[in-house]
Amino acid sequence: RSYGGTLIEVLSLLDSDVIDEWILTKAPSSVELEGFPQSANAYSRARAELMASSLIAEGNRSNQLFVHRMIQDATKRKMKLERLQEVFEAAVRLFSTLWPDMAISKRHNVQRWGDVDLLLRHVRRLHQIHESSVELMLSLQASITFAKVLNDAAWLVLFLA
């Protein structure tokens, strides 16, 4: 597998419009996938490989990526169901790790809204993929983790509505 192979698989599940790179580099150890870049050097190699092959592009601001939806769709179709489930569960763990503390006493703390807004679009995309795929069967632990992230996201959406 190339340096960027696992990275593009994860990127294929995220919101394609804007992917802030800190999402991919802040907690790489939570992404338990062979080949996912676990260091800054490994991430730079994977990113450079994907940029050179035009699979990703830089976003409007620095430290942002853009992935065309056709690239995402082709990457998802190329994955076998078992691999899609592995990558999906790894993405769920990543967003669970990155999601700010959502204790009831802190749910209305506006100071964390900036980070949450950046994460919310990707959580929404994972939810859309999960809802549209009848074959995608998550492990019990991933289902519980995903439900917790969706619950935390729903509290925010309800509060802002």
Side-chain angles (χ1 to χ4, degrees):
R1 192 177 293 256
S2 64
Y3 289 119
T6 304
L7 181 59
I8 194 68
E9 289 175 337
V10 172
L11 291 171
S12 75
L13 301 180
L14 305 183
D15 180 72
S16 64
D17 291 335
V18 172
I19 302 167
D20 287 86
E21 290 186 270
W22 69 266
I23 291 171
L24 303 166
T25 59
K26 186 173 182 180
S29 62
S30 67
V31 182
E32 299 169 2
L33 288 172
E34 184 178 337
F36 189 82
Q38 296 293 315
S39 68
N41 285 339
Y43 177 77
S44 292
R45 281 193 310 266
R47 182 187 189 279
E49 181 180 289
L50 296 176
M51 294 285 280
S53 59
S54 299
L55 293 174
I56 62 173
E58 292 182 340
N60 294 333
R61 295 184 320 198
S62 64
N63 299 319
Q64 288 183 336
L65 299 176
F66 168 80
V67 183
H68 198 282
R69 288 189 182 119
M70 286 180 16
I71 299 293
Q72 287 183 312
D73 290 344
T75 302
K76 281 189 301 227
R77 274 193 219 103
K78 188 177 173 186
M79 283 188 270
K80 293 183 176 166
L81 180 58
E82 296 80 23
R83 181 62 178 174
L84 177 60
Q85 286 177 194
E86 288 175 16
V87 175
F88 190 92
E89 289 184 11
V92 166
R93 284 189 303 273
L94 174 64
F95 284 96
S96 174
T97 301
L98 295 175
W99 199 268
D101 182 21
M102 294 291 288
I104 290 181
S105 62
K106 297 181 180 180
R107 283 196 173 146
H108 303 299
N109 179 354
V110 297
Q111 293 175 340
R112 61 173 177 45
W113 285 2
D115 287 345
V116 171
D117 183 49
L118 295 174
L119 299 173
L120 187 58
R121 66 183 66 174
H122 302 296
V123 170
R124 224 182 259 142
R125 177 76 175 131
L126 288 173
H127 183 251
Q128 290 168 346
I129 292 168
H130 186 261
E131 290 296 305
S132 67
S133 176
V134 293
E135 298 91 21
L136 192 60
M137 301 300 282
L138 303 181
S139 69
L140 178 61
Q141 183 58 48
S143 293
I144 292 169
T145 302
F146 194 37
K148 182 185 179 310
V149 170
L150 290 175
N151 183 56
D152 289 344
W155 272 106
L156 180 70
V157 171
L158 285 173
F159 182 73
L160 294 177

